[in-house]
């Protein structure tokens, strides 16, 4: 379980998470928590200089090119991938769980979020973090929230594994190729 930089620790029952066998760590980027399990995501990190044309000063729009690259790969596999191109309203659940809200550049398929993005800027560089859900596992985070008010609130999230006829590694290779071609 990876808490985002703005995730309040007491929002989750961290003892329950540890009892369920989850390691709990914090990343220096992003907002909400993400459940990371082997084979469940395609997780990439990209480092670019702040002077790179792909890194505009506006944090929101700086994700658009990255989301478009991933969406184009998914569309090439026949999926109706859509890139979030404008500011979306924040929800209380989305402040706690990354996949609970949509942000600039993130990708949906039929309204379900499949790609989460985060960024951290420091020392002249931007670090982009990309999490494409191979299998949907983020909904289980609701059960670890300290406040039960969100337990029955649905997350519009999906994994792409049941939707594609390629391996996880093949999809990752296609995404890396698309990004490095920019």
């Amino acid at each position: 379980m990876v808490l985002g930089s703005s995730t309040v620790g007491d929002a989750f029952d961290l003892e329950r998470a540890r009892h369920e066998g989850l390691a709990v760590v914090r990343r220096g980027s992003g907002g909400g928590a993400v459940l990371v399990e082997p084979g469940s995501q395609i997780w990439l990190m990209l480092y670019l200089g702040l002077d790179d044309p792909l890194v505009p000063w506006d944090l929101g729009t700086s994700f658009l090119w990255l989301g478009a690259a991933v969406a184009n790969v998914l569309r090439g596999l026949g999926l109706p991938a859509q890139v979030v191109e404008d500011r979306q309203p924040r929800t209380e659940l989305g402040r706690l769980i990354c996949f609970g809200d949509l942000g600039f550049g993130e990708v949906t398929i039929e309204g379900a979020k499949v790609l989460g993005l985060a960024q951290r800027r420091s020392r002249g560089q931007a670090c982009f973090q990309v999490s494409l859900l191979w299998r949907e596992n983020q909904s289980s985070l609701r059960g670890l929230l300290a406040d039960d008010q969100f337990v029955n609130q649905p997350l519009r999230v999906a994994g792409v594994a049941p939707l594609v006829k390629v391996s996880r590694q093949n999809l990752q290779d296609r995404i890396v190729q698309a990004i490095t071609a920019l």
Side-chain angles (χ1 to χ4, degrees), residues 86-102:
D86 52 5
R87 188 169 308 281
Q88 301 292 304
R90 295 295 311 254
T91 66
E92 286 305 310
L93 182 59
R95 291 181 207 287
L96 301 171
I97 298 174
C98 171
F99 281 84
D101 270 346
L102 295 171

Side-chain angles (χ1 to χ4, degrees), residues 32-137:
V34 178
L35 184 59
V36 178
E37 296 176 324
S40 290
Q41 286 106 339
I42 294 173
W43 191 278
L44 304 171
M45 293 179 67
L46 295 89
Y47 292 88
L48 297 173
L50 293 178
D51 58 347
D52 191 297
L54 292 174
V55 186
W57 281 107
D58 180 69
L59 284 174
T61 59
S62 69
F63 291 109
L64 293 175
W65 66 272
L66 190 50
V70 174
N72 286 336
V73 169
L74 296 173
R75 285 187 205 116
L77 294 170
L79 301 180
Q82 298 292 314
V83 178
V84 176
E85 295 181 344
D86 52 5
R87 188 169 308 281
Q88 301 292 304
R90 295 295 311 254
T91 66
E92 286 305 310
L93 182 59
R95 291 181 207 287
L96 301 171
I97 298 174
C98 171
F99 281 84
D101 270 346
L102 295 171
F104 279 104
E106 294 182 325
V107 176
T108 64
I109 295 175
E110 297 179 352
K113 184 174 177 177
V114 297
L115 179 75
L117 299 170
Q119 183 180 158
R120 180 180 171 99
R121 293 184 182 197
S122 63
R123 295 194 178 122
Q125 67 181 3
C127 172
F128 290 89
Q129 296 173 337
V130 179
S131 180
L132 177 66
L133 295 181
W134 181 247
R135 289 191 304 268
E136 196 289 296
N137 62 350

Side-chain angles (χ1 to χ4, degrees), residues 141-163:
L141 285 172
R142 289 176 305 186
L144 297 173
L145 289 167
D147 186 340
D148 291 339
Q149 72 174 335
F150 300 111
V151 171
N152 295 318
Q153 187 172 337
L155 285 180
R156 297 272 300 145
V157 61
V160 298
L163 307 174

